[in-house]
């Protein structure tokens, strides 16, 4: 047990040093006086095997769409690779754990490409409507589907205002160990929970940082985290804020 704790402490210290270094390289100036660090704010502590998810933590993302080039899909590609999903050629039903959505301001004509994934809502309608309890919210705010008890009714797909979930229509081969998928069950962004539990960044955030960094990941409940400081300095925009679902994902530049 003490070995596990020592290993965990060492890994966390190494990771913090790495993240501090990377954050310094990847600072993103969002607005005068507000600088985000694409990686520096993660500070995710690996959970020891058997350690419960803590309700003291709420994982979240802050995405600066002004720093997100239209021709970049590094986040989407990284998510595909990490979680083993791919287009099947049926555009209407293909999985999209994360996708770039084109938006245009009708007044100014300004166009943006917005990465949209599950918003990990605190008041999640997908959880409310699920008849089996397969759709659930972890204590740390990550919303997931238990594929063992999902019956594929798709109530959650209809309830989600962000179109963040899809049904697996085709047989699945070559699944990755951390992202089990199955025909006839529903899936969506897991915020890369297995990576977070191991003290790593979500795959999209890591890939985005390598391209310049438009995503900040971290603990919204930790007042010392970079993401909590950025949110406290200026409230982020939320997609469909009128629904008051308290999403864990916020945006700059919308
Ligand atoms: S974005 Fe959709 S799938 Fe994700 S938690 Fe909110 S309602 Fe559920
Ligand atoms: S499709 Fe699965 S996760 Fe969604 S509401 Fe039905 S049983 Fe729940």
């Amino acid at each position: 047990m003490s070995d596990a704790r020592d290993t965990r402490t060492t890994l966390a210290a190494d990771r913090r040093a790495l993240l501090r270094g990377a954050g310094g390289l990847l600072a993103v100036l969002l607005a005068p006086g507000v600088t985000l660090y694409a990686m520096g704010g993660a500070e995710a502590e690996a959970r020891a095997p058997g350690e419960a998810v803590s309700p003291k933590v709420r994982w979240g993302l802050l995405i600066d769409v002004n720093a997100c080039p239209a021709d970049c899909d590094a986040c989407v590609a990284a998510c595909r690779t990490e979680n083993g999903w791919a287009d099947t050629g049926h555009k209407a039903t293909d999985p999209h754990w994360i996708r770039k959505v084109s938006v245009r301001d009708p007044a100014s004509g300004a166009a943006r490409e917005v990465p949209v994934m599950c918003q990990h809502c605190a008041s999640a309608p997908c959880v409310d409507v699920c008849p089996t309890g397969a759709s659930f919210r972890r204590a740390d705010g990550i919303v997931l589907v238990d594929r063992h008890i999902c019956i594929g009714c798709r109530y959650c797909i209809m309830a989600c205002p962000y179109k963040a979930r899809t049904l697996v229509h085709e047989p699945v081969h070559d699944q990755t160990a951390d992202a089990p998928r199955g025909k006839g069950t529903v899936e969506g962004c897991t915020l890369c929970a297995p990576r977070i539990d191991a003290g790593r960044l979500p795959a999209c955030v890591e890939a985005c940082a390598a391209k310049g960094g438009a995503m900040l990941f971290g603990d919204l409940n930790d007042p010392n985290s970079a993401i909590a400081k950025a949110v406290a300095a200026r409230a982020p925009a939320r997609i469909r804020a009128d629904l008051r679902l308290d999403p864990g994902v916020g945006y700059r530049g919308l």
Side-chain angles (χ1 to χ4, degrees), residues 14 17-19 21 25 44 48 61 66 73 75 92 95 100 164 175 177 188 195 216-217 222 235-236:
D14 289 350
L18 173 67
L19 292 173
L25 287 172
L61 281 173
N66 289 322
D73 73 343
C75 55
K100 294 282 291 284
Q175 301 182 50
R195 289 173 64 109
L216 180 66
F217 167 79
D222 176 0

Side-chain angles (χ1 to χ4, degrees), residues 117-121 124-127 143 156 159-162 164-165 245:
M117 69 289 282
C118 173
Q119 306 287 292
H120 297 282
C121 312
C126 60
V127 173
V143 178
C156 59
C160 173
Y162 302 100
R165 286 190 172 178
L245 302 180

Side-chain angles (χ1 to χ4, degrees), residues 126 129-135 145 149-157 165 167 186:
C126 60
V129 301
C130 180
T132 68
S135 187
V145 178
I149 53 176
C150 173
I151 57 174
C153 67
R154 290 173 262 190
Y155 286 4
C156 59
I157 294 178
R165 286 190 172 178
L167 183 81
V186 164

Side-chain angles (χ1 to χ4, degrees), residues 21-200:
L25 287 172
L26 297 169
V28 178
L29 188 64
L30 293 182
V34 180
T35 304
L36 291 189
Y37 294 89
M39 297 179 71
E43 297 285 324
E45 290 279 334
R47 282 196 297 127
E51 183 183 349
V53 173
S54 172
K56 294 178 185 164
V57 174
R58 185 176 183 200
W59 297 119
L61 281 173
L62 185 58
I63 302 173
D64 176 18
V65 298
N66 289 322
C68 181
D71 60 354
C72 176
D73 73 343
C75 55
V76 178
C79 181
R80 280 198 191 110
T81 302
E82 178 70 21
N83 296 299
W85 56 272
D87 292 347
T88 65
H90 303 105
K91 196 173 177 187
T93 55
D94 272 345
H96 51 240
W97 292 32
I98 179 172
R99 63 199 196 283
K100 294 282 291 284
V101 176
S102 301
V103 298
R104 180 179 293 276
D105 183 342
S108 67
R112 295 279 186 278
E113 296 282 324
V114 183
V116 178
M117 69 289 282
C118 173
Q119 306 287 292
H120 297 282
C121 312
S123 302
C126 60
V127 173
D128 292 342
V129 301
C130 180
T132 68
S135 187
F136 69 101
R137 186 170 182 268
R138 263 181 25 163
D140 58 5
I142 300 177
V143 178
L144 298 169
V145 178
D146 181 343
R147 290 170 184 80
H148 295 288
I149 53 176
C150 173
I151 57 174
C153 67
R154 290 173 262 190
Y155 286 4
C156 59
I157 294 178
M158 289 182 276
C160 173
Y162 302 100
K163 300 189 188 306
R165 286 190 172 178
T166 43
L167 183 81
V168 181
H169 288 265
E170 318 283 347
V172 177
H173 308 287
D174 303 326
Q175 301 182 50
T176 66
D178 283 339
R181 308 175 66 231
K183 183 179 178 183
T185 63
V186 164
E187 59 186 11
C189 160
T190 64
L191 213 52
C192 286
R195 289 173 64 109
I196 293 173
D197 292 344
R200 301 172 66 201

Side-chain angles (χ1 to χ4, degrees), residues 1-6 48:
M1 184 65 186
S2 62
D3 284 346
R5 247 198 314 265
D6 291 344

